[in-house]
Amino acid sequence: MNVIKLLRALFIFLFAMPAARAQQTATKLVDYTIRLDVLSKGFDSTGYWALARAGAIPGKTPTVVLTMQKWLLNTNDVFMPLNEMRTEDMGKTWTKPVEHTLTLGSRMEPGNVRVVINDFTPKFHKKSGKLLGTGHDGRYSGVALTNTSRFTTWSVYDATAHTWTPWTALEMPDKPEFFNAGAGGTQRVDLPDGNILLPIYYKLDDKPQASMTLAVMVLLCKFDGKKLSYIRNGNSLTIPTGRGLGEPNLTRFGNTYYLTIRNNDSGYVAVSKDGLQFSTPKTWTFDDGKDLGSYNTQQHWVTHSDGLFLVY
């Protein structure tokens, strides 16, 4: 039986402490509580819930909106449409999963290709007062992922009607690196002026998924509450082994931006002062130099006012 869980963390690695000491070894513990809630459980023999991520809309009692989708068994990254659950009492009760068929549902393209918005991450955008979700699309022929185009996708939540706008592909420059590029599973940083730093990853070749080479970069985007628009992008980061680098996640702590990145063999980290131009990625290690032990998996951030946590 598979269980959807709202996790504040799985494994927590204390990476940095107060901003003035963000580059030094952490010695102070952060007063921080982790709670594990079971939101839904069950198995229908065809697939199971995956990619559960939540975004909070501020208020006297915040509204937390969680999106998730079913992963079909015995397939390679084949997903069904997004579903949503919601709590308005800080997790004491949750609505049942709802599939927004008209706005977040599957779309059909020529050749009987099914397109689904995947790996969605909702986050509140303070400047506009909107919950903005970003991800990418997946194209499937039958129960196989096609080796064609892929785009960053986004949708805006209507907190009154409890629904989403139709998912839309981010308009990108007509360049080869953006033909198969997306923000699947990535955490963004919203700047004080409302602009958004959105990390993406993209294919460097036309090889099948198992042997492709990936690279990552961060986009600077504008969001006016209704439309997400590309402004420019930062430098490209990759390595020559293990399918390169993919699924980047971004945060800011103190005056430094941190980008944690997935690789087949290890987790990588890069740093930046402006959130666009990043240093050469290095493998994650503990203070004693030993490898972090993140094997071919996503890593995410929990950013606390007093400390920065890596979740993997």
Side-chain angles (χ1 to χ4, degrees):
M1 178 175 290
N2 294 283
V3 180
I4 287 295
K5 301 172 181 179
L6 178 59
L7 298 177
R8 298 292 292 274
L10 294 176
F11 297 98
I12 299 183
F13 171 55
L14 185 56
F15 176 64
M17 290 306 297
R21 303 181 58 202
Q23 300 293 340
Q24 302 178 22
T25 302
T27 57
K28 177 184 175 183
L29 295 179
V30 176
D31 183 12
Y32 188 66
T33 301
I34 301 167
R35 190 181 78 197
L36 175 63
D37 292 335
V38 178
L39 307 188
S40 177
K41 58 184 179 180
F43 178 65
D44 64 3
S45 77
T46 61
Y48 55 90
W49 293 116
L51 306 177
R53 300 189 181 98
I57 302 173
K60 186 175 182 180
T61 300
T63 296
V64 181
V65 180
L66 181 144
T67 56
M68 58 191 183
Q69 55 198 133
K70 281 199 173 180
W71 187 341
L72 294 185
L73 287 180
N74 303 315
T75 65
N76 186 8
D77 286 350
V78 176
F79 295 98
M80 301 305 291
L82 284 172
N83 278 241
E84 172 208 322
M85 299 177 69
R86 185 178 73 257
T87 179
E88 296 179 348
D89 55 15
M90 295 302 291
K92 293 178 182 178
T93 60
W94 289 82
T95 61
K96 293 181 179 180
V98 175
E99 179 181 325
H100 296 282
T101 307
L102 297 178
T103 55
L104 300 181
S106 300
R107 300 175 185 176
M108 299 304 297
E109 292 185 346
N112 202 32
V113 173
R114 182 175 65 91
V115 189
V116 176
I117 182 171
N118 280 347
D119 232 342
F120 196 68
T121 303
K123 180 180 178 178
F124 186 73
H125 184 259
K126 184 177 179 180
K127 186 76 172 180
S128 66
K130 298 289 187 178
L131 187 69
L132 170 68
T134 53
H136 62 203
D137 54 21
R139 285 172 166 74
Y140 304 107
S141 179
V143 291
L145 184 66
T146 66
N147 190 36
T148 56
S149 59
R150 177 170 55 94
F151 302 101
T152 293
T153 51
W154 57 273
S155 178
V156 183
Y157 188 68
D158 184 332
T160 301
H162 303 304
T163 188
W164 295 83
T165 60
W167 62 265
T168 305
L170 178 65
E171 297 175 7
M172 299 290 290
D174 185 15
K175 296 181 179 179
E177 60 263 39
F178 299 131
F179 176 72
N180 191 310
T186 66
Q187 291 171 291
R188 70 178 200 256
V189 169
D190 296 345
L191 301 174
D193 63 1
N195 284 344
I196 292 172
L197 293 170
L198 179 65
I200 67 167
Y201 64 104
Y202 60 98
K203 287 182 65 174
L204 292 172
D205 52 46
D206 293 325
K207 295 179 181 179
Q209 185 179 19
S211 57
M212 62 186 174
T213 302
L214 299 170
V216 306
M217 67 170 59
V218 176
L219 308 180
L220 179 65
C221 298
K222 177 183 178 180
F223 180 61
D224 60 7
K226 295 182 179 180
K227 182 178 180 180
L228 183 67
S229 305
Y230 166 93
I231 300 176
R232 64 177 184 274
N233 60 268
N235 61 323
S236 176
L237 305 174
T238 192
I239 60 173
T241 59
R243 292 198 302 166
L245 297 176
E247 295 177 341
N249 283 271
L250 181 66
T251 193
R252 181 180 180 181
F253 189 76
N255 296 318
T256 303
Y257 293 91
Y258 297 93
L259 193 66
T260 187
I261 317 166
R262 181 177 179 174
N263 170 260
N264 275 28
D265 305 314
S266 186
Y268 279 76
V269 62
V271 297
S272 171
K273 289 300 181 183
D274 65 1
L276 287 172
Q277 302 298 320
F278 280 83
S279 64
T280 300
K282 297 182 178 180
T283 56
W284 273 111
T285 60
F286 288 101
D287 291 342
D288 60 5
K290 292 182 180 179
D291 188 82
L292 189 63
S294 174
Y295 166 71
N296 194 20
T297 187
Q298 291 186 6
Q299 308 117 51
H300 296 280
W301 297 108
V302 175
T303 307
H304 187 280
S305 58
D306 297 324
L308 182 59
F309 297 84
L310 183 69
V311 183
Y312 62 99

